Amino acid sequence: MEADLDNYIVIKEGEAEILMHKKNQVFFNNAQVNNRDMSIAVLRAFISKRKQEHEAMLSKRARSSGKVVEKVVSETSKDETPTENGEDNGETNGEHEATSQDGTTEAAKAAYESARRELKPPRVLEALSASGLRALRYAREVEGIGQVVALDNDPASVEACQRNIKFNGLMSTSKVESHLTDARVHMLTHPKEFDVVDLDPYGAPSIFLDSAVQSVADGGLLMCTATDMAVLCGANGEVCYSKYGSYPVKGKYCHEMALRILLASIESHANRYKRYIVPVLSVQMDFYVRVFVRVYTSASAMKSTPLKLSYVYQCIGCDSFHLQSVGRALPKNKSVRYQAAIGPVVPQDCTHCGKKFYMGGPIWSAPIHDQEWVTSILNGVKSMKDRYPAYDKICSVLTTISEELPDVPLFFSLHSLSATLKCTSPSAALFRSAIINAKYRVSGSHVCPLGIKTDAPMEIMWDIMRCWVKNHPVKAQSPELPGSVILSKEPSHQADFSRHIGSLSKAQAKKVARFLPNPEKHWGPKIRAGRQITSKHVSLLGHEAVNGHINGRKEAGAEEEDEQQEDMIEDEPDLKRQKTTEDIASTS
């Protein structure tokens, strides 16, 4: 084993340790510690919430059982007929009533205790385990967790995962199991068997979504990561449409739109099986998006999906965007009737700058967070600070999310608004104050430090900027530019830039860090396992790492070449002897 350990590096994260081969055989990215810590925080909140929901269900059943008892007792007393001996009859009725009542109560208690025992520890499926670090951390760090099943279709990864399970001791071997199989097949053949399904693929998760939404139990948690941000953010719109069923629009809000495209895609896959999703947390961090959704089954609730989806109209010339809902609901007697939405919500040309619109979507336009969950997760993280290696990062992200407006899709960029008008940018505090003084709500965005979420219409936004430009004039511009067209109109609303107390969030007022720099250089995506590291990977790994790999490969190659030469030298006498024998045979 000591000889084997010379080829491995021990990596410790949280309470788990893994052995990583010095060659790039199994994928591992230390930057994903943020992802793993956030997942553990959500998983802890899910287990706690699951227990609360189970207790609420039990108390509801107990109340209904009590009503049944009362109903049975009343019906029994009515059915009793008087006899000749009234006293004996009264005693008999009393005894019968007490016996019946006690029996029914005991039955209710037995049902209550039986239901209490039904709540088993949640089973977790990690569909793409690689080294198994995530599965090991779940098993060792999350209290009350059940069996963790780690899958991979790469033999090297499964071998590494099984090695790491043994390396982490008895607790890991009893809770974590690793299998060499296709995750899609495994999820399809185990419908509604897992309380938690974790998808963290290298790239797009689209090929796993259909089987994943079938594998999650009712009320279970689906955790999904997408790292193909270039596709989701509009670099290849046709590819995004083929993978996720939505067309992206390039805008400053593109990273939030990526979250909403992923949610819309998961909802689409769930609807095919009369299921629907409820997002509890959606995060854009580092170089990926990560969503946490609960999956439920209900054919009636599924009908409201079109109300949660919208198309996006983005102006080509300015920063104006508008959302068009896919469907609408109409009350009909005591029920609701669903119909297609009435549109479009915009004319052919932008009313502000006169340019055309791009159209993208559909995207998820309903809330992407559950603020009650976010508060619970954040409090849990703060109470267990020492158990999160990436505490500062996930705490800052959760703090910013907790202050977001939950019912406002997408956001504006203050610098982008100023760039359209070619003017100096007002401070975020002044601009927010102007929005609040106009009687609208405003907040930041966890996606962008300069992002502004608000329910103010575009007319108010541009009026505020027009008033700002009047006090901070701009140079003369071509009248055909979008900014010139916008500034040529007089503001219908006079902006009030006086500082409002709500212009700073609670975190800003307390000077809590919300957007942290990367802890080290080249903090981002890594190359696939098994690929040869070359000079083109400098941007991902850095010069030192790439040079170290290349030099190590050269040294290994030189050693192999020396060994081959030594083998050739050792074989030369045998070759000479063989040739001599052949010559003698030929002459004779």
Side-chain angles (χ1 to χ4, degrees):
M1 187 68 179
E2 291 180 2
D4 291 337
L5 285 176
D6 292 339
N7 297 321
Y8 294 94
I9 301 171
V10 178
I11 296 175
K12 180 176 173 60
E13 186 180 290
E15 296 179 17
E17 291 182 336
I18 61 170
L19 294 170
M20 285 299 298
H21 202 281
K22 292 181 179 178
K23 295 181 180 179
N24 186 35
Q25 291 183 339
V26 178
F27 183 79
F28 170 76
N29 189 356
N30 61 327
Q32 289 287 55
V33 61
N34 299 333
N35 187 319
R36 290 183 282 268
D37 272 11
M38 187 69 78
S39 301
I40 288 171
V42 175
L43 200 50
R44 282 173 173 152
F46 170 71
I47 291 175
S48 174
K49 186 75 173 176
R50 187 167 171 263
K51 288 180 180 177
Q52 292 174 12
E53 291 171 350
H54 188 67
E55 291 294 332
M57 181 193 68
L58 292 180
S59 61
K60 186 178 179 180
R61 284 185 182 178
R63 286 196 300 271
S64 62
S65 299
K67 291 178 181 178
V68 170
V69 170
E70 292 175 5
K71 186 177 180 181
V72 170
V73 170
S74 62
E75 288 179 355
T76 304
S77 60
K78 286 179 183 177
D79 292 340
E80 294 293 338
T81 55
T83 62
E84 293 179 357
N85 189 344
E87 292 181 3
D88 291 343
N89 182 47
E91 291 174 4
T92 306
N93 286 346
E95 290 174 4
H96 176 72
E97 184 178 345
T99 305
S100 174
Q101 201 167 0
D102 290 345
T104 312
T105 305
E106 289 299 323
K109 287 181 179 179
Y112 182 87
E113 292 300 325
S114 175
R116 179 183 290 275
R117 288 193 296 269
E118 284 176 7
L119 184 64
K120 298 177 181 178
R123 292 189 72 210
V124 181
L125 174 69
E126 191 193 357
L128 304 144
S129 61
S131 65
L133 175 58
R134 186 185 298 264
L136 289 167
R137 288 197 64 190
Y138 287 168
R140 295 181 67 87
E141 298 181 36
V142 181
E143 298 79 6
I145 201 168
Q147 196 71 14
V148 182
V149 180
L151 308 177
D152 211 297
N153 63 352
D154 175 32
S157 296
V158 174
E159 183 184 345
C161 185
Q162 292 174 347
R163 184 193 310 117
N164 291 326
I165 291 170
K166 293 178 182 177
F167 188 68
N168 278 267
L170 185 61
M171 178 189 288
S172 301
T173 53
S174 62
K175 278 194 173 185
V176 185
E177 56 185 72
S178 178
H179 300 286
L180 176 64
T181 183
D182 189 323
R184 293 168 292 183
V185 176
H186 191 89
M187 289 188 286
L188 284 173
T189 52
H190 296 77
K192 297 185 179 181
E193 285 195 16
F194 295 98
D195 301 290
V196 181
V197 173
D198 192 338
L199 294 177
D200 188 15
Y202 190 100
S206 52
I207 61 173
F208 301 99
L209 294 179
D210 198 77
S211 51
V213 295
Q214 297 179 68
S215 183
V216 185
D218 276 339
L221 185 69
L222 173 61
M223 307 188 285
C224 181
T225 303
T227 60
D228 54 336
M229 294 302 291
V231 170
L232 284 166
C233 291
N236 303 98
E238 68 284 357
V239 177
C240 183
Y241 188 81
S242 66
K243 289 183 176 181
Y244 298 98
S246 296
Y247 210 95
V249 174
K250 286 185 179 179
K252 295 298 181 182
Y253 50 70
C254 62
H255 291 92
E256 183 180 328
M257 191 172 188
L259 279 169
R260 295 181 179 275
I261 287 174
L262 179 57
L263 288 172
S265 182
I266 297 173
E267 174 79 349
S268 174
H269 285 280
N271 287 168
R272 296 165 199 174
Y273 308 100
K274 297 181 181 180
R275 312 193 85 184
Y276 67 98
I277 65 169
V278 177
V280 296
L281 180 66
S282 305
V283 181
Q284 190 276 319
M285 284 193 304
D286 299 328
F287 53 92
Y288 56 87
V289 289
R290 175 85 161 162
V291 297
F292 304 85
V293 301
R294 299 191 73 180
V295 183
Y296 297 94
T297 303
S298 173
S300 58
M302 184 195 68
K303 294 179 181 178
S304 64
T305 291
L307 307 180
K308 307 172 188 174
L309 305 176
S310 296
Y311 291 98
V312 181
Y313 289 94
Q314 172 65 59
C315 177
I316 296 173
C318 65
D319 298 275
S320 305
F321 66 84
H322 306 269
L323 270 65
Q324 166 76 66
S325 178
V326 172
R328 60 189 175 118
L330 299 174
K332 183 182 179 182
N333 299 328
K334 294 183 179 180
S335 62
V336 177
R337 185 161 52 100
Y338 298 97
Q339 286 189 349
I342 297 175
V345 293
V346 294
Q348 284 287 320
D349 300 325
C350 178
T351 56
H352 304 291
C353 69
K355 300 295 182 181
K356 300 292 183 183
F357 286 97
Y358 286 129
M359 189 177 114
I363 65 169
W364 181 272
S365 52
I368 61 176
H369 315 293
D370 184 323
Q371 290 299 332
E372 183 183 342
W373 272 72
V374 173
T375 303
S376 174
I377 295 167
L378 182 57
N379 291 337
V381 169
K382 288 181 177 178
S383 66
M384 305 174 75
K385 179 178 179 179
D386 296 336
R387 299 188 66 182
Y388 292 99
Y391 170 80
D392 292 336
K393 177 66 176 181
I394 64 171
C395 188
S396 65
V397 171
L398 289 169
T399 299
T400 312
I401 289 174
S402 68
E403 297 175 342
E404 280 187 7
L405 290 175
D407 56 342
V408 177
L410 309 182
F411 60 87
F412 300 94
S413 169
L414 184 53
H415 283 188
S416 186
L417 291 172
S418 302
T420 300
L421 303 183
K422 301 190 183 302
C423 67
T424 58
S425 176
S427 68
L430 282 179
F431 194 78
R432 287 185 178 196
S433 297
I435 294 174
I436 296 171
N437 292 332
K439 308 301 181 186
Y440 294 98
R441 296 177 299 150
V442 65
S443 78
S445 169
H446 82 278
V447 172
C448 175
L450 298 171
I452 293 177
K453 282 182 169 289
T454 179
D455 58 352
M458 282 308 309
E459 291 77 8
I460 297 296
M461 300 289 283
W462 287 125
D463 279 346
I464 292 173
M465 292 304 296
R466 288 187 188 105
C467 294
W468 172 260
V469 170
K470 281 191 175 183
N471 297 327
H472 303 80
V474 298
K475 296 180 180 178
Q477 305 170 26
S478 171
E480 297 178 356
L481 290 175
S484 301
V485 176
I486 293 170
L487 291 175
S488 65
K489 301 172 185 177
E490 286 295 318
S492 58
H493 165 78
Q494 293 299 320
D496 179 8
F497 289 100
S498 57
R499 187 67 67 95
H500 193 279
I501 191 171
S503 61
L504 295 178
S505 66
K506 293 180 180 179
Q508 286 176 307
K510 295 179 181 178
K511 295 185 177 180
V512 176
R514 296 174 302 127
F515 296 92
L516 300 178
N518 292 333
E520 59 186 51
K521 289 184 178 180
H522 309 290
W523 186 264
K526 298 293 185 288
I527 63 173
R528 280 184 185 271
R531 287 190 179 177
Q532 186 173 336
I533 297 173
T534 62
S535 57
K536 70 179 182 180
H537 297 120
V538 168
S539 60
L540 296 177
L541 305 176
H543 289 283
E544 293 181 4
V546 170
N547 291 336
H549 280 284
I550 293 174
N551 293 335
R553 195 163 60 245
K554 286 180 179 178
E555 291 174 2
E559 289 178 2
E560 289 179 5
E561 191 176 341
D562 292 341
E563 289 176 1
Q564 289 175 1
Q565 288 179 356
E566 288 177 3
D567 292 339
M568 288 175 64
I569 291 170
E570 290 175 359
D571 293 341
E572 274 182 6
D574 296 333
L575 289 171
K576 287 180 180 178
R577 238 180 270 115
Q578 186 180 354
K579 285 182 180 180
T580 306
T581 308
E582 290 175 355
D583 291 341
I584 294 169
S586 62
T587 52
S588 62

